[in-house]
Amino acid sequence: GLVSALMGVGNSNSIWVGWPGVDIEEGPERDELTRAMEEQGYGPVYMDEKTCDLHYNGFCNSVLWQLFHYVPLNIDSKLSETRTLQFQWQGHQDAKKLF
């Protein structure tokens, strides 16, 4: 998907900005990881586990992926699912602020 599409621009001078896949508290270990990633052309954006889960596993996979792959969203939802979607949307908004 996305990685394959961006392979063609791999020779350009660019920075890949995104979540590094780990939740590390601020401090020396996180600073070291940030330095190492920046040396390789990455700009890490750190999120706590809950925000990451709501943003990526929730909103991005449940809503955005379906929309961008022409999969119709299920609009017949129960109140509990609507509430979950609201939490996912808030997690997505929180993650976007970090970027």
Side-chain angles (χ1 to χ4, degrees), residues 13-17 20 30-46:
N13 187 14
S14 58
I15 297 174
W16 183 280
V17 178
R30 183 166 163 176
D31 295 341
E32 178 70 25
L33 177 60
T34 299
R35 250 187 316 280
M37 293 186 76
E38 287 175 345
E39 288 174 4
Q40 297 297 314
Y42 299 102
V45 176
Y46 298 98

Side-chain angles (χ1 to χ4, degrees), residues 7 36 70:
M7 292 298 283
Y70 307 104

Side-chain angles (χ1 to χ4, degrees), residues 54 79-92:
L54 289 170
L79 181 59
S80 62
E81 292 171 354
T82 302
R83 195 129 184 89
T84 299
L85 184 57
Q86 290 171 339
F87 286 125
Q88 291 174 356
W89 173 246
Q90 186 58 55
H92 178 67

Side-chain angles (χ1 to χ4, degrees), residues 58-68 71 73 85 88:
F59 192 77
C60 290
N61 285 341
S62 298
V63 177
L64 296 181
W65 189 92
Q66 294 178 49
L67 290 174
F68 289 125
V71 177
L73 294 174
L85 184 57
Q88 291 174 356

Side-chain angles (χ1 to χ4, degrees), residues 1-2 4 6 60 62 89-90 92 94 96-97:
L2 178 60
S4 297
L6 294 176
C60 290
S62 298
W89 173 246
Q90 186 58 55
H92 178 67
D94 293 343
K96 285 181 17 177
K97 290 175 188 174

